[in-house]
Amino acid sequence: MLVKIEQIRDAGLKVNERMSLELLGAALEGSGFRATEPLSVTANLRKLSGGVLVEGSFTTRVVSECKRCLTESKLELPVSFTINLVPESLVRGEGLLDEDELEEKDRGSGESGGSFALDDADEEVFDGKVIDLEPIVREQVLLSLPMNALCREECRGLCIKCGQNLNDKQCGCDTKFVDPRLAALKDIKIQG
């Protein structure tokens, strides 16, 4: 998914690319999610203030284990993103930052590695000649994944006593939980 900067005309450039199932699988490795089909990515690239504005969208289809009932759940995640790509030459060349200042900025000004200025949240630096959309799309796929997958919002989960899937049928177990440390107190009668 490489785009040369000279391919982008004044009116912009529309790109339709596919990310293979293998590349998508590699991006999702270790996440607990598995891709079911390749991605079709649509992106519009426009030159803007010396950089390139990338507006893209795709829908990723994945499967994962439901957090509540442990059945396989299929998810369809629509994603749209906007990223401002700034060439290294613009960051370095305008005298805004020298080599040491650029490294300091990359390190987050001495703070933790995840620190960044809020204005830079949607900015990424590229070499100024070629834009590789693949890492951008991989990042957006990972950002779109939910923390916990559910087969459906109203999933009832598993019985805490016998393990029956409560979406299929009720099990009849007494679901009142009594902390064993306080079990002796349940028989106390208070007279008033």
Side-chain angles (χ1 to χ4, degrees):
M1 289 197 222
L2 297 175
V3 177
K4 293 181 180 173
I5 198 77
E6 59 264 6
Q7 291 176 299
I8 305 172
R9 304 287 177 221
D10 291 337
L13 176 68
K14 186 170 182 150
V15 177
N16 293 312
E17 292 283 338
R18 289 185 66 80
M19 180 180 260
S20 72
L21 201 53
E22 293 80 30
L23 286 174
L24 195 52
L28 293 173
E29 190 173 327
S31 69
F33 292 86
R34 190 179 80 250
T36 59
E37 62 185 57
L39 280 183
S40 292
V41 180
T42 302
N44 291 311
L45 292 88
R46 291 182 307 176
K47 290 182 181 177
L48 186 68
S49 302
V52 176
L53 184 68
V54 180
E55 297 173 310
S57 64
F58 58 86
T59 299
T60 184
R61 290 168 181 82
V62 294
V63 292
S64 181
E65 200 173 69
C66 176
K67 173 190 172 195
R68 294 181 188 160
C69 68
L70 305 179
T71 61
E72 187 176 89
S73 57
K74 296 178 182 179
L75 303 171
E76 190 170 290
L77 307 168
V79 177
S80 60
F81 61 93
T82 302
I83 294 178
N84 187 20
L85 299 174
V86 180
E88 283 180 353
S89 60
L90 187 63
V91 174
R92 296 174 196 252
E94 286 188 359
L96 298 175
L97 299 174
D98 63 16
E99 192 73 33
D100 294 333
E101 290 172 324
L102 187 62
E103 287 177 18
E104 182 67 24
K105 180 178 170 152
D106 287 343
R107 276 183 277 158
S109 304
E111 296 177 14
S112 69
S115 300
F116 59 89
L118 191 55
D119 294 340
D120 297 338
D122 64 345
E123 266 184 20
E124 290 189 30
V125 178
F126 78 111
D127 69 1
K129 296 175 183 158
V130 177
I131 298 169
D132 188 1
L133 293 175
E134 187 179 309
I136 295 170
V137 171
R138 275 196 321 256
E139 178 182 55
Q140 295 302 317
V141 166
L142 292 173
L143 289 172
S144 73
L145 298 175
M147 291 292 287
N148 298 303
L150 295 177
C151 59
R152 58 182 184 262
E153 280 299 317
E154 61 278 354
C155 177
R156 299 182 63 210
L158 302 175
C159 173
I160 59 172
K161 296 216 176 190
C162 70
Q164 169 66 41
N165 187 340
L166 299 174
N167 296 314
D168 297 338
K169 68 176 187 173
Q170 287 295 93
C171 60
C173 292
D174 180 21
T175 57
K176 248 187 191 173
F177 177 74
V178 178
D179 187 332
R181 297 170 294 179
L182 302 174
L185 298 177
K186 73 177 183 174
D187 297 328
I188 294 179
K189 304 243 188 247
I190 300 178
Q191 306 234 344

